[in-house]
Amino acid sequence: MNSLKQIILDQKVRLEKKFERERIIERETPDLRKYVSSPNVLAILGVRRSGKSTLSQLLVRGSNYGYVNFDDERLYSLKAEDLSKVEKAIYELFGDVDYFLFDEIHNIPGWELFVNRLREEGKKIIITGSNSKMLSGELSTHLTGRHIDYTLFPFSFSEYLKFKGIKIERVNDTFTSLSESVIKRELENYLKLGGFPEVHKVSEDIIHSIVSDIITKDIIFRLKIKRIRTFHDFAFSLLSYYSNEVSLNRFSKMLKLSINTVEEWFNAMIEAYLILPCERYSESPKARLVSPKKIYLVDPGIASLVLLDNSIGRIMENTVAIHLARKGEKLQYYKSEKGEIDFVTRNEFIQVTFAEGKDDINKREVEVLKDVKGKKKIVVTWDYEDKVEDIQFIPLWKYLLSE
């Protein structure tokens, strides 16, 4: 028990010292505090190292709370029956806490019953996880209507500017000349480095470690994959197809794997939040099911720093995809004989193109927009702004900062 108490105390002290030595910003999230204002479970999900632990502590700072990170190798041997010892150690260290914060508790099989018991005893609980399936099993069964889940992404462009201490001077959608020039310069840096907090706090090289941890801990270990080299080949080949349609059958043939294995690996990369799937827009459920999906990376820094790809048009499209997913939009694209529309949202048709002026606009991308109706039409450009008939052209930097 003493060693367990020491681990828990060390973890909490380390988390709190983070606020003393690092620059911490308030994340641009909904008011998550209201979801734990009464005995409830708030699950903060998202890709590894996106800031979930920091956000959790921001929500409870000033309160008495117990914190345990189950992604600690010293706790790997814990089983469900040991979780009561964890609870006891927290009480002995911190007294009758107001909140429980549990990082990556899904590493412990059977954790759901433990969390549910704490909730029934009137405790307020925040859990974090790097896997979207953590709420699809027993937790959903035991906590129907008793949990809220929120997906956290790496820094948005707006959060990145805030972290850099850049103050933007604007009135509605009108920016000062100085602010506009600073924003454009910083956008280039953001598209290169992405939004993982540690990349900006430590070094851009750390993104390789982040991606490696996602692949190893959240996919290979979880699925108990034995053909590790083959999986690495699959994973990095798949990542290189970002902003494009992917054919899982092609991967199956190329790597000499069963289609079931390829689909399992593909879904595991989605569940680990490493990639974002985008399905084809159609009124027909069957057409959506059989049509190939497009994929996007969870962070633009993976494209430039890990894949060493500087295809600005693809990175722009990927960044818009993340922006939409962060707002809760389901990613869908439209395709017809006349062309493709990058994104179809609840209210908008969106094209993304690297255009610095009117002459750079691809006529084919505009023509396909003229054929669709019922939603607002937007073309996100690099630095061209105008409105032609019912199509709004807006620079990427302004689109990412729009309310």
Side-chain angles (χ1 to χ4, degrees):
M1 177 63 81
N2 286 335
S3 61
L4 179 59
K5 286 166 64 174
Q6 185 176 45
I7 292 170
I8 292 173
L9 182 60
D10 287 348
Q11 287 182 348
K12 186 173 180 181
V13 169
R14 187 162 59 245
L15 181 65
E16 292 181 339
K17 282 186 175 179
K18 189 177 188 178
F19 281 74
E20 299 173 7
R21 66 176 185 266
E22 295 182 11
R23 178 175 173 78
I24 305 295
I25 63 167
E26 288 279 348
R27 301 299 297 269
E28 295 174 355
T29 68
D31 180 12
L32 298 177
R33 290 179 179 86
K34 66 183 180 182
Y35 297 125
V36 284
S37 59
S38 60
N40 204 350
V41 178
L42 170 64
I44 301 177
L45 309 176
V47 68
R48 183 176 291 268
R49 318 268 272 277
S50 57
K52 298 185 296 294
S53 301
T54 304
L55 174 59
S56 298
Q57 197 189 13
L58 279 170
L59 296 176
V60 301
R61 276 184 75 75
S63 304
N64 186 23
Y65 68 92
Y67 170 77
V68 184
N69 178 8
F70 291 92
D71 203 30
D72 186 318
E73 78 280 356
R74 295 171 295 179
L75 301 180
Y76 280 177
S77 62
L78 287 182
K79 295 180 173 56
E81 54 265 31
D82 298 317
L83 292 175
S84 59
K85 298 177 184 177
V86 172
E87 179 189 7
K88 183 178 180 181
I90 289 173
Y91 288 141
E92 290 182 1
L93 285 166
F94 310 117
D96 189 11
V97 296
D98 300 314
Y99 296 90
F100 286 95
L101 269 58
F102 296 136
D103 268 344
E104 308 290 345
I105 192 174
H106 61 88
N107 287 339
I108 311 297
W111 62 274
E112 304 92 344
L113 291 172
F114 169 68
V115 167
N116 187 50
R117 176 175 63 77
L118 291 180
R119 186 200 61 77
E120 289 180 340
E121 292 174 357
K123 303 302 180 183
K124 302 169 188 176
I125 307 157
I126 301 175
I127 58 178
T128 77
S130 303
N131 190 285
S132 63
K133 287 195 73 174
M134 69 178 291
L135 290 180
S136 63
E138 287 297 311
L139 184 61
S140 293
T141 301
H142 293 289
L143 289 176
T144 302
R146 295 291 188 272
H147 70 81
I148 297 292
D149 60 296
Y150 177 78
T151 301
L152 184 70
F153 289 81
F155 286 157
S156 66
F157 182 48
S158 177
E159 289 171 331
Y160 160 81
L161 292 174
K162 186 188 298 185
F163 179 79
K164 297 274 286 187
I166 296 170
K167 294 183 179 179
I168 301 171
E169 297 173 341
R170 73 176 181 181
V171 177
N172 298 324
D173 279 339
T174 303
F175 297 75
T176 65
S177 298
L178 179 59
S179 286
E180 186 172 326
S181 63
V182 170
I183 291 168
K184 289 178 181 178
R185 184 183 68 241
E186 291 298 336
L187 177 61
E188 293 185 27
N189 198 46
Y190 175 74
L191 294 183
K192 176 188 175 185
L193 300 180
F196 280 108
E198 287 175 280
V199 169
H200 302 286
K201 294 176 181 179
V202 183
S203 162
E204 64 184 58
D205 293 332
I206 203 167
I207 196 168
H208 296 278
S209 172
I210 293 172
V211 173
S212 177
D213 278 355
I214 296 168
I215 288 174
T216 302
K217 295 182 178 181
D218 298 325
I219 303 175
I220 291 175
F221 286 177
R222 189 176 72 81
L223 293 186
K224 298 181 174 59
I225 294 173
K226 295 180 180 178
R227 300 176 65 174
I228 295 176
R229 179 173 293 184
T230 303
F231 177 76
H232 274 274
D233 291 342
F234 165 79
F236 284 97
S237 294
L238 183 68
L239 293 178
S240 70
Y241 275 85
Y242 76 95
S243 299
N244 284 299
E245 292 179 345
V246 294
S247 168
L248 297 187
N249 283 322
R250 182 180 177 188
F251 277 102
S252 174
K253 293 174 183 176
M254 182 174 63
L255 297 173
K256 298 179 180 178
L257 294 167
S258 71
I259 188 63
N260 289 339
T261 297
V262 170
E263 288 177 349
E264 181 184 40
W265 289 0
F266 177 74
N267 290 330
M269 292 180 70
I270 295 171
E271 290 158 6
Y273 298 99
L274 185 55
I275 59 173
L276 309 174
C278 177
E279 68 179 26
R280 190 162 170 175
Y281 176 79
S282 174
E283 299 294 335
S284 165
K286 182 178 180 181
R288 293 197 300 268
L289 185 65
V290 301
S291 297
K293 288 182 174 62
K294 294 176 72 174
I295 63 161
Y296 294 98
L297 309 173
V298 73
D299 186 74
I302 297 174
S304 55
L305 298 177
V306 177
L307 302 178
L308 303 179
D309 186 3
N310 295 312
S311 306
I312 186 64
R314 293 173 67 197
I315 294 175
M316 285 177 61
E317 182 181 332
N318 197 108
T319 303
V320 171
I322 300 167
H323 181 69
L324 294 173
R326 185 181 281 111
K327 294 199 301 180
E329 293 283 358
K330 179 181 179 180
L331 297 182
Q332 299 180 98
Y333 71 100
Y334 173 86
K335 198 168 188 177
S336 70
E337 294 179 357
K338 292 191 176 182
E340 182 177 311
I341 299 175
D342 295 321
F343 302 105
V344 182
T345 71
R346 285 167 285 191
N347 301 309
E348 298 169 337
F349 292 107
I350 304 169
Q351 289 283 42
V352 184
T353 182
F354 180 68
E356 296 182 278
K358 184 177 181 180
D359 294 339
D360 297 328
I361 299 294
N362 187 319
K363 291 182 179 179
R364 182 177 173 85
E365 292 181 336
V366 175
E367 288 300 316
V368 69
L369 280 175
K370 292 180 179 179
D371 280 348
V372 293
K373 293 179 174 60
K375 299 176 187 285
K376 186 177 179 181
K377 302 174 185 180
I378 295 175
V379 177
V380 179
T381 69
W382 181 251
D383 199 26
Y384 172 62
E385 187 169 10
D386 199 0
K387 185 168 185 179
V388 180
E389 297 177 2
D390 62 343
I391 300 175
Q392 181 75 47
F393 297 84
I394 181 170
L396 177 63
W397 64 269
K398 185 174 282 191
Y399 180 76
L400 296 178
L401 295 178
S402 60
E403 296 298 333

